[in-house]
Amino acid sequence: MNPGPRSFALRSTRVVTPNGVGPAIVVIESGKIQRVESIDVELATFVVDDLGDLVISPGVIDAHVHINEPGTNWEGFETATRAAAAGGVTTIVDMPLNSIPVTTDAIALAEKRSAAAGKCWVDVGFYGGLVPGNADQLPALIEAGVLGIKAFLCHSGLDEFPNATEQDLRAAMPLLARAGVPLLVHAELLTLSSPAVTDVRSFSQFVTSRPEQWELDAIELMIRLCREYRCPVHIVHLATSTALPIIAAAKQERLPITVETCPHYLFFDGTKISDGDTRFKCAPPIRTGEATLLFGGLLDGTIDTIGSDHSPCPLEMKSIDTGNFSTAWGGIASVQLTLSAVWTFLGKQGCHDLSLLSRWLAVAPAELVGLAHRKGKIAPGYDADLVVWDPDPTWTIQGDELFHRHNVTPYDGFTVSGKVTRTYVRGNLVFADGVHREQPIGQMLSRTPTKVLRISVAERINSWSEQAAREAFENCCAAPGWIEQMLKRCPFASDAEVVASASEIWWSLPREEWLAAFAAHPKIGDLESLQKKYRSTAGWASGEQASVAQARNDTLRDLARYNREYEERFGHIFIVCATGKSADEMLALLESRLSNEASTELNIAAAEQLKITLLRLEKLAA
């Protein structure tokens, strides 16, 4: 049997820690990193394995993998995780489609976990899926521990996983925002017709059949919705550099948006892809001349992570014999190759920064999927997920020597730099010198959501008379049109339907309705009028501005002064969801928003009003 984690230490002249790269000893006990010591410290009670100049990096976290089990023979947990371990990957996160059933409810998630049990060589997490009509399933998926929710904005290639519409996104994003769970988006939106394909073997025609504008329009939509809901949004597999400016601008706004690109968009830039070579088919497609610009996006932080988008299939599904890009499955098998492929690309760019490499392959992915408290760093208290590798040797990839189930990969025959020597998962040595150790020890990972609406909200609303429901809705939002439409939607089948209806109705209202809702609020800091306006919910209202009661007199005077200036400029009072914010934080927000254009500020105020409304809807169950 594979021994469990024990007490030992690894010494190297190149250890990648949060403080940089340098000589160190990594001390491991019971599967955790106990401490990181100076390289010359004597450790009498630990066996120290001297690795010389080999690099010790945090294990790669691949947050974009299609394992395709249960229900297909496309890959599977055993082969995918064996390949991952051989490539220095210690955690993978499985996408919710290409399996039967797709992971769009908690029952399907349980089936997937059952299929994975006892087969995984590395730790595995799971995403749930957003498809039309399943927003009411998201709370159960989130509570079951999914690491994120995945949606397509175009056809996924599978009828059982149709693309989400803007209405579906609006139904889901308030829930995800409340839970602090990211929405991962395949960002291609079919907003314009693509050129007709006259030669199904032509790679260039395949590329032009999926225009860059599809990516741009999809990303612009997601930025707009992210701005409205403040839901964490993660754009997967960015392939076009033309989107970088709008993403950078969104990040300047401090919107919770992150971006991934993939090794194949970097590594194959400049490669002459032959007509009929369907091994290279993926969506979005690989475009010439993009890699250097995408690399710039990685360097400046516009792009956060690199994920393999490992999407294998049997040989016959790639239409290798006909070279038909129209019928070939789109996807690239590569989970074993990410570290070497990215390191090789970086070398061609003149970059040999091991800290940056770990940032893109470990630290940022851990942050994305809610595992940053235990994975992604070589630091005390973290899981001892480590890859020991030599960045210098070159080797030629042979598809039939990889551990994926199927050996179809466009990397076949290419020479790369960087060779994995060992992989440790929570202190367990799972791969060493080309051999897997005895048995799989991977665990299934869950995310703890920050908060999720409970079903009792819908049940409580449904139990009331029309008059009682009207009064409750008035306390949540004073826009008459919103109240009437919410009453018409009763009864509600679930909390997701309550949230979706509240959001959809709010954003459909004219400006006058928004202003009516704003007018019902007191000015920030005016606690006495707050309680007068909301007599039946005085506890809620004072709680929402609780920090103001302890504010300094000079802060209160500044709030009053800027409130007057704001109202004169925009014609309505300053609206902010004050829950959890200090008086000084609200003052800073008020001052910063005074410089906005009127239309921009109106939309920000509307988004803040919706946050307040959703918070108060939840309190109806209290």
Side-chain angles (χ1 to χ4, degrees), residues 398-447:
Q398 301 294 332
D400 58 3
E401 294 179 359
L402 301 176
F403 291 98
H404 312 148
R405 181 183 294 274
H406 303 288
N407 61 14
V408 185
T409 177
Y411 289 95
D412 194 2
F414 280 84
T415 298
V416 292
S417 301
K419 192 73 173 175
V420 172
T421 301
R422 302 181 191 176
T423 303
Y424 292 88
V425 177
R426 287 172 286 99
N428 294 278
L429 182 61
V430 296
F431 180 82
D433 301 318
V435 178
H436 292 84
R437 294 303 174 98
E438 296 187 18
Q439 69 178 20
I441 50 78
Q443 294 180 351
M444 283 173 267
L445 304 170
S446 295
R447 181 180 195 136

Side-chain angles (χ1 to χ4, degrees), residues 162-177:
N163 61 281
T165 65
E166 183 172 342
Q167 181 178 355
D168 300 315
L169 296 169
R170 288 185 177 278
M173 291 178 78
L175 285 170
L176 298 178

Side-chain angles (χ1 to χ4, degrees), residues 216-294:
L216 287 170
D217 291 342
I219 291 168
E220 286 177 346
L221 170 64
M222 294 315 304
I223 289 172
R224 175 163 56 85
L225 294 176
C226 181
R227 184 179 294 118
E228 291 181 13
Y229 295 109
R230 292 304 196 268
C231 166
V233 170
H234 184 64
I235 304 298
V236 299
H237 50 48
L238 181 71
T240 176
S241 61
T242 55
L244 293 175
I246 60 173
I247 295 168
K251 291 193 169 195
Q252 283 291 318
E253 289 184 54
R254 299 184 181 275
L255 297 183
I257 188 164
T258 53
V259 180
E260 166 203 84
T261 194
C262 301
H264 42 272
Y265 298 128
L266 305 173
F267 184 86
F268 292 119
D269 188 61
T271 298
K272 173 62 176 175
I273 299 175
S274 301
D275 290 344
D277 196 346
T278 53
R279 296 176 304 164
F280 288 89
K281 181 179 178 180
C282 59
I286 299 166
R287 298 186 177 95
T288 301
E290 292 293 324
T292 299
L293 297 171
L294 292 172

Side-chain angles (χ1 to χ4, degrees), residues 341-480:
V342 175
W343 182 245
T344 303
F345 168 77
L346 293 182
K348 292 178 179 178
Q349 300 295 315
C351 176
H352 304 283
D353 192 321
L354 294 167
S355 291
L356 282 177
L357 182 70
S358 290
R359 172 72 197 171
W360 299 324
L361 297 185
V363 178
E367 293 170 353
L368 167 71
V369 298
L371 299 174
H373 61 292
R374 59 176 289 194
K375 292 185 180 290
K377 295 178 183 178
I378 297 179
Y382 278 71
D383 288 353
D385 293 346
L386 307 170
V387 53
V388 179
W389 61 292
D390 189 341
D392 299 323
T394 60
W395 57 287
T396 300
I397 297 168
Q398 301 294 332
D400 58 3
E401 294 179 359
L402 301 176
F403 291 98
H404 312 148
R405 181 183 294 274
H406 303 288
N407 61 14
V408 185
T409 177
Y411 289 95
D412 194 2
F414 280 84
T415 298
V416 292
S417 301
K419 192 73 173 175
V420 172
T421 301
R422 302 181 191 176
T423 303
Y424 292 88
V425 177
R426 287 172 286 99
N428 294 278
L429 182 61
V430 296
F431 180 82
D433 301 318
V435 178
H436 292 84
R437 294 303 174 98
E438 296 187 18
Q439 69 178 20
I441 50 78
Q443 294 180 351
M444 283 173 267
L445 304 170
S446 295
R447 181 180 195 136
T448 302
T450 54
K451 183 179 278 190
V452 183
L453 285 176
R454 305 293 179 182
I455 193 66
S456 57
V457 177
E459 291 177 340
R460 185 72 177 272
I461 293 171
N462 294 342
S463 70
W464 286 329
S465 66
E466 180 176 340
Q467 183 57 35
R470 180 184 297 278
E471 292 175 359
F473 289 147
E474 285 174 351
N475 287 326
C476 295
C477 176

Side-chain angles (χ1 to χ4, degrees), residues 293-377:
L293 297 171
L294 292 172
F295 177 56
L298 285 162
L299 287 176
D300 67 21
T302 306
I303 301 173
D304 304 88
T305 69
I306 302 174
S308 70
D309 191 11
H310 175 71
S311 186
C313 68
L315 176 65
E316 60 271 17
M317 293 183 64
K318 286 300 267 187
S319 299
I320 298 291
D321 54 343
T322 63
N324 187 333
F325 279 96
S326 296
T327 59
W329 179 257
I332 290 179
S334 57
V335 69
Q336 187 173 334
L337 303 172
T338 295
L339 180 61
S340 295
V342 175
W343 182 245
T344 303
F345 168 77
L346 293 182
K348 292 178 179 178
Q349 300 295 315
C351 176
H352 304 283
D353 192 321
L354 294 167
S355 291
L356 282 177
L357 182 70
S358 290
R359 172 72 197 171
W360 299 324
L361 297 185
V363 178
E367 293 170 353
L368 167 71
V369 298
L371 299 174
H373 61 292
R374 59 176 289 194
K375 292 185 180 290
K377 295 178 183 178

